[in-house]
Amino acid sequence: MGDLVTGRHAAAREAENLARAVREASRSLPAPERSDEFGEQFDAFGDARVVLLGEATHGTSEFYRARAAITRRLISKHGFDIVAVEADWPDAARIDRYVRHQSARPSGEEAFTRFPTWMWRNAEVREFVDWLRRHNDGKPAGARVEFRGLDVYSLGGSIDAVIGYLDGVDPEAARLARKRYGCLTPWQAEPAHYGRDVLYGRKDTCEDAIVSQLEALLARRLDYGAQDGEDFFDAAQNARIVRAAEQYYRIMYRGSSESWNLRDRHMFETLRRLLARRGAGAKAVVWAHNSHIGNAAATAMGWQGEFNIGELCRTAFGEDAALVGFGTDRGTVAAASDWGGRMEIMQVRPARDDSIERVFRQAGVARSLTDMRGQGRRALRDSLAEPRLERAIGVVYRPESERTSHYFEAVLPEQFDAFVWFEETKAVTPLPGPASHGVPDTYPFGL
C-alpha cells in the first residue's frame, strides 16, 4: 500500500512540474473573436513559407475561429497568398472563385454537401470566406489570395470537372475522356465499392484508362493552357485527383497505412504544386486536423509506418514550415456517432489524467500559445520529451470508447512547433442544407 501511495505522490509531483513548465512558457491569448488581437500573437510565424494550423476535432468553433484570425494576420501583415484546406478540390474551387471575384461555373451542386457537411459548411468558415472576398476586392487578379482544397475524395466531382472543361475546349477529347472514365461510372456515387469489387475479383482495375486520360490532358498543356491557364490548371488537378482517388479506393481495403500515406502524399504534392504555380515568393497557410499537420514521425502513427503532410513539409521546407497544433479539455463538439451518420452536438469528456491535455489543463491558462521553438525553450522540450497520450476527434466521436478510439501516443515538442490551447470549447455552428434547385443566388453557400 505504501508503494502505491508513494507512486501516486511521485506522479502528482511530476504532473505539477510539467504543468508549471507549460504555464511559465505559455502566453495567454484573448478570445479568437477579438481577431486582430488574437492574430498578432502569431507574428513570430510570419517568416515561414508554410504555416500549418491544426485542430483536435473537426467540429470545434474555437479552432476554426482561431485559424481564421491567425490566417487573416498572416495574409494582411506577412504576405501569405494561399489558404489550402483539408477539403475536396471541386468544393474549394467554388469558394476560390467566389473569394477571387470570378464568376461561378454553372452547376447544380453547392459547396460541401458531402458528409461531413458541417466540417466546412459552417458559420465560422463562411465568416472567414466573406472576409477573404473583401480582402481581395480591388486587388489585381494575380495578387488575390487563393482558397484551395487538398483532399482526394472527389472522384465523381473531379470526373465531371475534367469532362466539362474538355467539352468547352476540345469536344473530341471530351468524347475520349467520357469513354475512359466510363470504366468508373457505376461506382461514382459509391467509390469505395469499386475498391471492394476489384479486391474480390468482380471488376478489373480501371487504372490504365485513368492514367491514359491524365497523360492525354497533360500532353496538351501548352495548347490548352494558352487558352486559359487557370481553367487548365483546375482541369489538370481534377485529372490528378481522379488518378489518386482510383488508387486510394483500390488500396483502402488492403490496409489503413497504405491508403493514409497515399492520401497525405497527394495533399502534400497538391500544396507544392500550388506554391510552384504561385511563384518563388508564395506562402501558404494549411488548415487540417492535427493528425495531418503534426510531424507524424513523433507519434504512434509514424511509429507504425504512416507519414503525413506535416512530416513531408518538415522534410521539404525545414524551418520554413511551422507546425501549430491545437487542443482542448472539454466542452461540446459537432460530430457523428458513425461514419455517414447525422450530426450531433456531443459533450467532450474532460481529458484523461495521463494525457498531454491534462498537463495543459493543470497549467491553469484558459487560452494559451506555447511556442516550443528555439534554444530558450530547451528545458520545456526536455520536460515534455516522453510520449504521452493525446486526443484526436475527427468527424466521428465515440466517448464510450474514447481511450481506444481517440487517444494515441505522441511527443508533443517533436510533433509541433507550437501548441494552441483552449480549456473549454463549443461546437461549430452548421449552416442549413443546400437549396433544392440550381446554383443559388447567394453563391457559394446558398444562404
Side-chain angles (χ1 to χ4, degrees):
M1 184 68 177
D3 291 342
L4 180 60
V5 172
T6 300
R8 287 176 176 169
H9 287 165
R13 285 195 301 271
E14 179 192 15
E16 179 52 42
N17 289 337
L18 288 174
R20 184 183 304 111
V22 166
R23 185 164 52 247
E24 292 173 353
S26 296
R27 180 189 308 166
S28 181
L29 292 171
E33 289 77 11
R34 293 157 59 184
S35 180
D36 292 342
E37 294 175 53
F38 190 96
E40 70 183 10
Q41 304 301 312
F42 294 80
D43 282 343
F45 304 100
D47 291 336
R49 188 175 187 204
V50 178
V51 175
L52 299 99
L53 302 177
E55 58 184 1
T57 87
H58 278 323
T60 294
S61 178
E62 283 79 1
F63 298 157
Y64 284 81
R65 293 192 183 281
R67 293 190 301 193
I70 298 165
T71 304
R72 287 172 58 167
R73 182 74 178 187
L74 293 174
I75 290 170
S76 300
K77 301 298 183 181
H78 300 285
F80 282 71
D81 45 21
I82 299 167
V83 181
V85 305
E86 183 190 343
D88 290 336
W89 178 274
D91 285 337
R94 290 179 58 81
I95 306 302
D96 181 58
R97 296 184 72 82
Y98 174 76
V99 301
R100 290 201 284 153
H101 296 268
Q102 299 172 349
S103 60
R105 290 195 177 102
S107 173
E109 298 291 330
E110 294 177 15
F112 307 121
T113 57
R114 176 182 64 81
F115 176 88
T117 56
W118 66 89
M119 181 174 165
W120 296 111
R121 196 180 179 87
N122 60 61
E124 291 81 358
V125 170
R126 182 182 62 180
E127 182 179 330
F128 172 73
V129 164
D130 286 341
W131 175 88
L132 190 53
R133 179 177 168 86
R134 293 193 301 272
H135 172 82
N136 281 333
D137 190 23
K139 289 183 168 53
R144 295 171 189 165
V145 179
E146 305 173 28
F147 186 94
R148 301 291 195 172
L150 298 175
D151 224 328
V152 74
Y153 292 126
S154 58
L155 180 67
S158 289
I159 287 175
D160 290 344
V162 174
I163 292 174
Y165 168 76
L166 290 173
D167 276 336
V169 301
D170 191 339
E172 175 58 20
R175 184 187 67 80
L176 292 172
R178 283 186 172 88
K179 182 177 180 180
R180 293 178 180 121
Y181 286 151
C183 181
L184 286 169
T185 297
W187 295 274
Q188 281 188 225
E190 296 288 348
H193 294 176
Y194 163 75
R196 182 193 59 194
D197 289 349
V198 170
L199 178 67
Y200 291 109
R202 295 194 290 264
K203 166 67 181 173
D204 292 335
T205 173
C206 294
E207 181 177 17
D208 290 346
I210 302 311
V211 171
S212 293
Q213 179 53 46
L214 175 58
E215 291 174 345
L217 185 67
L218 295 179
R220 299 292 304 278
R221 61 166 61 87
L222 294 180
D223 294 338
Y224 294 159
Q227 298 179 53
D228 189 321
E230 182 68 34
D231 284 350
F232 173 73
F233 179 73
D234 179 74
Q237 180 60 25
N238 276 298
R240 292 186 179 97
I241 291 167
V242 177
R243 163 65 169 143
E246 187 276 333
Q247 288 180 295
Y248 178 86
Y249 290 112
R250 184 159 38 83
I251 68 175
M252 65 182 293
Y253 290 97
R254 299 210 300 258
S256 59
S257 292
E258 190 175 358
S259 57
W260 174 277
N261 289 347
L262 183 150
R263 182 183 174 213
D264 270 58
R265 182 171 293 283
H266 170 84
M267 290 198 281
F268 171 71
E269 289 175 350
T270 300
L271 175 63
R272 292 199 70 167
R273 198 170 291 117
L274 290 168
L275 289 165
R277 176 174 169 77
R278 193 85 191 199
K283 303 174 77 172
V285 185
V286 176
W287 292 14
H289 198 278
N290 284 349
S291 56
H292 292 292
I293 70 95
N295 183 359
T299 72
M301 294 168 47
W303 304 334
Q304 65 185 23
E306 295 177 348
F307 55 77
N308 63 4
I309 308 171
E311 181 178 355
L312 294 171
C313 282
R314 174 64 77 232
T315 300
F317 302 117
E319 293 184 358
D320 284 335
L323 317 182
V324 183
F326 286 66
T328 187
D329 177 58
R330 62 191 182 274
T332 59
V333 66
S337 296
D338 296 288
W339 183 263
R342 66 178 181 86
M343 190 209 78
E344 305 172 51
I345 303 300
M346 301 184 178
Q347 289 290 327
V348 178
R349 292 183 173 185
R352 289 174 57 94
D353 286 345
D354 52 354
S355 68
I356 191 65
E357 289 86 357
R358 173 68 173 82
V359 173
F360 277 81
R361 181 176 72 206
Q362 191 165 339
V365 185
R367 294 179 299 271
S368 65
L369 167 64
T370 306
D371 192 339
M372 295 176 282
R373 302 172 301 169
Q375 290 299 317
R377 297 302 168 91
R378 180 178 294 276
L380 173 67
R381 294 196 300 272
D382 288 346
S383 68
L384 297 174
E386 292 299 317
R388 299 184 74 87
L389 290 179
E390 183 181 312
R391 183 162 58 191
I393 299 171
V395 296
V396 172
Y397 183 40
R398 294 174 177 152
E400 69 280 0
S401 60
E402 197 176 55
R403 171 62 181 88
T404 55
S405 300
H406 299 291
Y407 280 95
F408 63 99
E409 285 196 322
V411 179
L412 191 78
E414 296 178 15
Q415 181 188 12
F416 301 117
D417 295 309
F419 196 67
V420 179
W421 171 251
F422 294 93
E423 184 172 319
E424 187 167 1
T425 51
K426 61 182 180 297
V428 294
T429 303
L431 297 179
S436 57
H437 298 290
V439 177
D441 293 336
T442 49
Y443 153 82
F445 282 111
L447 294 176

